[in-house]
Amino acid sequence: MKNIIKKIIFIVTITFFMESCHDDLNVSPIDPDSFTQEDVFANATVAKSALAKLYSALALTGQEGPAGQPDIADIDEGFSQFSRMLFNLNELTTDHSVVGWGDPGLPDLHGMSWSSSNDFTEAMYSRLAQSVSFSNSFIQNAEALTDPEVATFIAEAKFLRAYSYYNLIDLYANVPLTTVVSTDLPAQSNRAEIFAFIESELLEIQDQLPAAGANEYGRVDQVAAWALLSRLYLNAEVWTGTAKYSECVDFSNKVMNSSYAINMNDANGNGTAYDELFLADNDTNGAQNEFIFALNFDGLQSQTFGGTTFLVHASIGGSMNATDFGVNGGWSGLRTTKNLVNQFEVDPSAIDINVLNNSLNGTLSDWGLVGDATENAWDGPDMEMYETATNQYALYAVLTNGEMKFRFDEDWGNNFGDNDTDGSLEPDGTNIPIPNSGIYLITLDLDNLTYAATALTALDKRGMFHTDGQSLEIESIPPFKEGYAVSKFKNVDSNGNAGSDPTGDFVDTDLPLIRLAEIYLNYAEASLRGGGGDLGVATSKINELRLRAYGNTSGDITSGDITLDFVLNERSRELYWEGQRRTDLVRYNYFTTNSLLWPFKGNISNGTAVDQIRNIFPLPINVLATNPNLTQNPGY
Amino acid sequence: MRNFKNTFLSIVLLFPVIAFAQLTIKGKVTDKNTKTELPGVNVVVKGTLNGSTTDFDGLYTIDKVNTGDVLVFSFIGYYSLEVTITSNADINVELEESAESLDEVVVIGYGSVKKEDLTGAVDLITSEDFNQGPVVSAQQLISGKIAGVSVTSGGGAPGEGQEINIRGLGSLSLTSTPLIVVDGLPLNDGGVGGSRNTLNLINPNDIESMVVLKDASATSIYGSRAANGVIIITTKKGKDSEFKFNLNSSMTFSNPIDQVDVLSAGRFTRLINGTGDADAIARLGSSNTDWQEAIYVDAVGTDNSFSALGSAWGVPMRASVGYSDQSGILDRDNFKRTTASLSLTPTLLDEHLKIELNARGMYTENTFANRDAIGNAVSFDPTQSISDPNSQYAGYFSWVDPNTGSQFNLAPSNPVALINLVDDTAEVRRLVANAKFDYKLHFFPDLTATVNVGLDKSNSNGRTLTSEFIPTSDPTFNGSRTTFSEEATNQLLDAYLTYNKSINEVHNLTFVAGYSYQKFEFENFNFDSEKEEQGNDFEFIDRSENILLSYFGRLNYDYDGKYLITATLRADASSKLNPNDQWGYFPSVAVAWNIHNEDFMDGSFINQLKLRAGYGEVGNVNGLGDYNFLTRYTGSQSTANYQFGSAFFQTFRPEPINEELRWEVGRTLNVGLDYSILNSRISGSVNAYLKETQDLIASAFIDPFTNFGNRIDKNIGDMENKGIEFALNVIPVKTEDIEWSISYNIAFNDNKVTNLPFDQPTGGISGGVGNNIQVHTEGESPFSYLVYKQIYDTNGKPIEGAFVDRNGDNIINDDDRYLYNDPYADVIMGLNTNLSFKNWDLSIVTRANFGNYAYNNVASSTGYLRRATQNNILTNLHSNHLNTGFIETTENNLLSDHFIENASFFKIDNITLGYKLADNTLFEDVNFRFYGSLQNVATVTDYNGLDPEIINTGDGTSGIDNNFYPRPRTFVFGVNIDF
């Protein structure tokens, strides 16, 4: 009996022990950086940190700056940052930029030969879809909270979701439309459905978001919803087949009538308030008043190898002095094509004639310019021209008001003038008048006996290029010296001081994704496309931008100057490298056609038209493989 | 009733015999070779319980025998001998030592069996057969010894990690290495930070034997942790004898063998001059520096160990201490290890209670040479000198950007500066201890209760100090200090009952049932002084734990030693899986037929012939992260916060979740044959196996709209390993003076993914950002190379950028890549030989792999001309540039099949020569053995890189050759003293 009791106690003890061990299987995270859903959505204060992730998913790449614990797998973390990929897909694919690096898939972007397994198109798709999932989850969980400010959080989350879908519809056209997180494979939607969703969401939240300027810096208010609607409606015809230009005009008007203002504060006193938009203190130097939706970066607390850190470092190379840009060195990658450079009327004081003439890549010849418009008047010696090809001569020259002729070897025995100022030359012809002083590009064609004198006159300070050691023409993309470098983005503040990161690695400069200047141009374009806007208003708004660009009214235009092509070019000048060029060119049907060519478009040195399928990107091959509901975009 | 009948029959049948007059027989038993007397030999009348044993002089006496009886002489380690009694004359016999004794006891997990009774694919290697030479870690002891088992070091650093693979790759992204069990305690899979190799814990001199369980019928008793096989290490134990001592001391000398082939200073100068790039030419220096020679050195090491075993106060015990100090050939690399072990094996309560207490501790001090220097030495401009008196960087030449006054942003740092200006040290402590109690119940001796409690605890402390003078582009850099401390704890409790019953000596039954509980805890702490200076988070803590709970049972039955069956069932629950589906049930069954025990085999030249067949299943979640089934949020560090207003907010990110994660299950079918003939002069085994791994867990791409990321760990597909293994041991000569043995093994393995809904790119390479050279795809080997087909000119020179347009669409893009070989060998061979002549012994260990291919990433990423002059500096090129003439690095050039090379090889791993100083008159009872050994003797291969054998011990992937720490050639001189 005693034995039996002993045995029973033994068995009970064993059973109890094993049972308690079974409870051990129910573990929960013990890592101090790991939190449960209950922790995060305990109250509005904590939930605000979850909201911050929705913003930082577009600005940063993971939970450990600058790299570590990445959001997106399968790509180098630095490359996976949203605005860096936006640059790759929307600027690098156009006349605005080339990059010298050979990372897989990267050269294919400018060359317009990307495939459905391109790393960057895939990572961008993942990034945007993930951003949608983050928002969906946040909205779902936050709805259980009753704090009044949570309603604003949710409206912001919906804005960010709409912004992600805006990019998805633009880049990939036909993607799944999801509003809740579910492991069920989603069905594919088309552009019209996604368009309708973005539109209805933005219309719904426009009054749930705080009034203009009422939210904290870095968080969006109702103007952001209007501005995104303006952009959405501008592209409606391309995306859905139904034009919505008058809606674009309406919502552009709402934005233009809000408290946002074009920055006119030339804080660093260099003659224009434009460059302040891209300086390290652009969250305080006045630029912030123009930023409707911007990504916030900080050299210490918001570190990434994307964002403005990428734009500043990657643009530096050759003879550029990294210290001038507030960083510790360059990555020798990005440059631009002559198409962008030629958009600008050049500031002569910023021009180094020798650099220009070197860029002709010619040899000094015996043909020269003579006359009182030239530096040595009629007495010579002549200004010798460069032979750029057989019987082709060119020279950049500073000329004064007067006359000139072409002459061989300082000898009147062989000279040309122009009898009727028609551009064709006659031996011993009449002197050629030069009406204004300035820098000219003079070309001479002895095969056809023609010439041209093109003035490089006015002074648009938005064109910020580094030309020393760089050639305007690009013969081969990889070497950094081919093509002008762009010095638009800097990590120095308005006083010239470098940003907060003492190591010079990471940049403080915030990056505007939507700013007021764009809305002016949306308004003008929608008006021209029949949206019913006032061209007079459009003209004065554009002149506001040009006043800032020139520092004076010399660049002003009249309403007669405003054509669709002018607006496109003005967008190029105002918004280059800010992530919109491809969308603009698609809207004009210039992206794939031969209406506009640029160096190495379609991988041909002079540029060529490409298949119109490239107006949208392919769905990533990996996504297609995981979700059989999806059909690939046509042509891929 | 049946028992009674049998007994009755026996009595009736034996009765007439008993009736005759009985004899007493005497005699002497000696060893056939040494002629020494053998004490303790069993002498039994066949078919009876009548027996005796030999005394200390080998003499025996046995009574009550009759003419016609058969005497069976048996002794462990010797062939049994049967002699028929014909008269009452003395019977003196000589027993022959068996090369491979069937009586050897093999530990198989929660018990042990006689080798003869094994039913699975199991290999036993005892200390006599271990590899000799500079063996620092246990894995090296069996390299090349066992068919189907490959042991590969991660590189040439001292104490470097060793990757063991049994029968090919077992999993795509989970742990692919076998479970290692030391004296009944399964060790942690991973080490703590700062430890080079988890098995550095054990001094190889402490190991008695290693058992490798290869097929699932053998491993399934260990359940889910045994998915890739099990290596059971049994350490030496004390004996009930006088104390014996062993002292082992050796010195090692290591030299680099080869270097990466880069351009010489002269050739590089001509190359730069040839570019016509005036800026680049101006940067040329006038020195002639061999940067690789500058960072590699000859290294010296010592290894000493001392052990004592014997019995004190009636308790058998063994204690050992060891100290090893090894330097690496990469300058300043050093590894110091102290080990100590103690084992006590008392037996109490009339041998009813057996206790085994094992404790071993390790303390290592590592100085890690800065391995960044390896890649930089390949790339650094050979025309620059190491020193530059004007350099602000402690006098080391550096590429300084005249604009910033600091090193250029993308410039490599001076390799010698990297070596000398970074101090990276770590200490690792590890304690492994277990106490095992076997209690044979007094009232029911057939039943044994066993409790085994164990602890495996390691911790490490490490720090990296970087001098303020290190070349860097950061103008404010003033030195930095990062530290870490890590702790890993594994607690174990096993409790099981063993029922052992023999009925009528023909039905032998062993039944084991038990319970096992394992808890794994990890914690690490990091500190970063740079982040502290910047006001960011500078202390980081990671913590995790997981539990593995199991029940297991095993039935072993044999009928008369002829027909054997083993059936096992293990149930495992892991806290890593969703509580709704966290139990896995893993059964196995195996049968074997000892043909040699059949009557019809009597008198045959065959000593052993056993046919085996087994089937088993094991699960796997080893290496899987914790809590995948929960929605977790990760808080951002202060470098990844986000600005709202003027404040920075921590962000919370939801992590990808998979509620449906299931056990990865491997199912193995194995058939085998063990043979031993001609007095075991020829023996070995043959195995054929088919292993299907189902529900492979791998990091898989998912539709990013359905989760919080684009990859999750997921059950994605199936994989198959099939192969044949063949082992042969031959003893061609065995005389008094000479013994020569040869062992050869060969294994063919074919590994392919059999089901994968879509391809998974893998195998990241350097040279760009985010390039993958390998892919998992259905119907092919995992980690197959996916490459472009290079086009060559008529001289056989690759044409840059020219690839075969395989799909004919006039565009070269991803669709034109094709599958071309894989990094895994189709055939692995080992050939070893031992020769002893009188006091001399010689052993040679060789290995060969065939059909393994490697991607020469060093050549592909550093051999293009543009690299030489870009980024405002000069960079040396791989000599492969002279063959290819490549100018640009592009993804296509990187992914060219030109860089996939056949890396089949034949290696002479080791040659050891020893001399035993016997019968020395100076020290009686002291045995000396002197030996010299040469490790990494020769490699025969067509591969152009440094070493054809490339494996990443971090994640088990292989075949990508980049910044490899070269394996040195090592000479060892040592002495082994027994007294």
PDB file of all heavy atoms in Angstrom, chain B residues 568-579:
ATOM      1  N   THR B 568      11.521   3.162 -33.853  1.00  0.00           N
ATOM      2  CA  THR B 568      11.683   4.367 -33.044  1.00  0.00           C
ATOM      3  C   THR B 568      10.526   5.318 -33.306  1.00  0.00           C
ATOM      4  O   THR B 568      10.042   5.424 -34.441  1.00  0.00           O
ATOM      5  CB  THR B 568      12.989   5.096 -33.442  1.00  0.00           C
ATOM      6  OG1 THR B 568      14.040   4.171 -33.497  1.00  0.00           O
ATOM      7  CG2 THR B 568      13.321   6.195 -32.468  1.00  0.00           C
ATOM      8  N   LEU B 569      10.129   6.001 -32.264  1.00  0.00           N
ATOM      9  CA  LEU B 569       9.180   7.100 -32.472  1.00  0.00           C
ATOM     10  C   LEU B 569       9.617   8.251 -31.586  1.00  0.00           C
ATOM     11  O   LEU B 569       9.902   8.060 -30.405  1.00  0.00           O
ATOM     12  CB  LEU B 569       7.754   6.670 -32.102  1.00  0.00           C
ATOM     13  CG  LEU B 569       6.709   7.775 -32.267  1.00  0.00           C
ATOM     14  CD1 LEU B 569       6.545   8.146 -33.733  1.00  0.00           C
ATOM     15  CD2 LEU B 569       5.368   7.351 -31.683  1.00  0.00           C
ATOM     16  N   ARG B 570       9.683   9.416 -32.181  1.00  0.00           N
ATOM     17  CA  ARG B 570      10.011  10.598 -31.387  1.00  0.00           C
ATOM     18  C   ARG B 570       8.979  11.672 -31.675  1.00  0.00           C
ATOM     19  O   ARG B 570       8.618  11.905 -32.833  1.00  0.00           O
ATOM     20  CB  ARG B 570      11.405  11.116 -31.761  1.00  0.00           C
ATOM     21  CG  ARG B 570      11.757  12.464 -31.143  1.00  0.00           C
ATOM     22  CD  ARG B 570      12.976  12.400 -30.284  1.00  0.00           C
ATOM     23  NE  ARG B 570      13.359  13.738 -29.818  1.00  0.00           N
ATOM     24  CZ  ARG B 570      14.404  13.968 -29.041  1.00  0.00           C
ATOM     25  NH1 ARG B 570      15.169  12.983 -28.656  1.00  0.00           N
ATOM     26  NH2 ARG B 570      14.689  15.188 -28.655  1.00  0.00           N
ATOM     27  N   ALA B 571       8.508  12.296 -30.622  1.00  0.00           N
ATOM     28  CA  ALA B 571       7.584  13.422 -30.774  1.00  0.00           C
ATOM     29  C   ALA B 571       8.289  14.659 -30.245  1.00  0.00           C
ATOM     30  O   ALA B 571       8.796  14.659 -29.131  1.00  0.00           O
ATOM     31  CB  ALA B 571       6.306  13.154 -29.990  1.00  0.00           C
ATOM     32  N   ASP B 572       8.369  15.683 -31.076  1.00  0.00           N
ATOM     33  CA  ASP B 572       9.056  16.921 -30.692  1.00  0.00           C
ATOM     34  C   ASP B 572       8.091  18.087 -30.767  1.00  0.00           C
ATOM     35  O   ASP B 572       7.299  18.179 -31.710  1.00  0.00           O
ATOM     36  CB  ASP B 572      10.199  17.227 -31.678  1.00  0.00           C
ATOM     37  CG  ASP B 572      11.500  16.559 -31.270  1.00  0.00           C
ATOM     38  OD1 ASP B 572      11.534  15.974 -30.183  1.00  0.00           O
ATOM     39  OD2 ASP B 572      12.450  16.632 -32.055  1.00  0.00           O
ATOM     40  N   ALA B 573       8.207  18.983 -29.826  1.00  0.00           N
ATOM     41  CA  ALA B 573       7.467  20.241 -29.933  1.00  0.00           C
ATOM     42  C   ALA B 573       8.456  21.372 -29.769  1.00  0.00           C
ATOM     43  O   ALA B 573       9.277  21.364 -28.855  1.00  0.00           O
ATOM     44  CB  ALA B 573       6.396  20.315 -28.853  1.00  0.00           C
ATOM     45  N   SER B 574       8.411  22.308 -30.705  1.00  0.00           N
ATOM     46  CA  SER B 574       9.320  23.439 -30.627  1.00  0.00           C
ATOM     47  C   SER B 574       8.531  24.720 -30.428  1.00  0.00           C
ATOM     48  O   SER B 574       7.518  24.946 -31.086  1.00  0.00           O
ATOM     49  CB  SER B 574      10.136  23.555 -31.913  1.00  0.00           C
ATOM     50  OG  SER B 574      10.815  24.792 -31.919  1.00  0.00           O
ATOM     51  N   SER B 575       9.022  25.538 -29.524  1.00  0.00           N
ATOM     52  CA  SER B 575       8.334  26.813 -29.285  1.00  0.00           C
ATOM     53  C   SER B 575       8.497  27.772 -30.451  1.00  0.00           C
ATOM     54  O   SER B 575       7.891  28.826 -30.477  1.00  0.00           O
ATOM     55  CB  SER B 575       8.876  27.452 -28.011  1.00  0.00           C
ATOM     56  OG  SER B 575      10.241  27.776 -28.193  1.00  0.00           O
ATOM     57  N   LYS B 576       9.324  27.386 -31.442  1.00  0.00           N
ATOM     58  CA  LYS B 576       9.484  28.270 -32.601  1.00  0.00           C
ATOM     59  C   LYS B 576       8.269  28.231 -33.509  1.00  0.00           C
ATOM     60  O   LYS B 576       8.113  29.077 -34.386  1.00  0.00           O
ATOM     61  CB  LYS B 576      10.714  27.851 -33.414  1.00  0.00           C
ATOM     62  CG  LYS B 576      11.999  28.076 -32.683  1.00  0.00           C
ATOM     63  CD  LYS B 576      13.186  27.659 -33.530  1.00  0.00           C
ATOM     64  CE  LYS B 576      14.467  27.973 -32.796  1.00  0.00           C
ATOM     65  NZ  LYS B 576      15.646  27.707 -33.613  1.00  0.00           N
ATOM     66  N   LEU B 577       7.460  27.201 -33.334  1.00  0.00           N
ATOM     67  CA  LEU B 577       6.331  27.026 -34.245  1.00  0.00           C
ATOM     68  C   LEU B 577       5.032  27.444 -33.565  1.00  0.00           C
ATOM     69  O   LEU B 577       4.937  27.498 -32.332  1.00  0.00           O
ATOM     70  CB  LEU B 577       6.244  25.568 -34.691  1.00  0.00           C
ATOM     71  CG  LEU B 577       7.474  25.074 -35.458  1.00  0.00           C
ATOM     72  CD1 LEU B 577       7.367  23.587 -35.743  1.00  0.00           C
ATOM     73  CD2 LEU B 577       7.645  25.854 -36.756  1.00  0.00           C
ATOM     74  N   ASN B 578       4.043  27.706 -34.378  1.00  0.00           N
ATOM     75  CA  ASN B 578       2.739  28.119 -33.902  1.00  0.00           C
ATOM     76  C   ASN B 578       2.195  27.069 -32.936  1.00  0.00           C
ATOM     77  O   ASN B 578       2.156  25.887 -33.258  1.00  0.00           O
ATOM     78  CB  ASN B 578       1.802  28.255 -35.113  1.00  0.00           C
ATOM     79  CG  ASN B 578       0.514  28.953 -34.751  1.00  0.00           C
ATOM     80  OD1 ASN B 578       0.034  28.841 -33.619  1.00  0.00           O
ATOM     81  ND2 ASN B 578      -0.022  29.687 -35.695  1.00  0.00           N
ATOM     82  N   PRO B 579       1.752  27.494 -31.734  1.00  0.00           N
ATOM     83  CA  PRO B 579       1.245  26.519 -30.758  1.00  0.00           C
ATOM     84  C   PRO B 579       0.150  25.620 -31.328  1.00  0.00           C
ATOM     85  O   PRO B 579      -0.045  24.503 -30.840  1.00  0.00           O
ATOM     86  CB  PRO B 579       0.691  27.410 -29.644  1.00  0.00           C
ATOM     87  CG  PRO B 579       1.469  28.667 -29.740  1.00  0.00           C
ATOM     88  CD  PRO B 579       1.797  28.853 -31.195  1.00  0.00           C
TER      89      PRO B 579
END
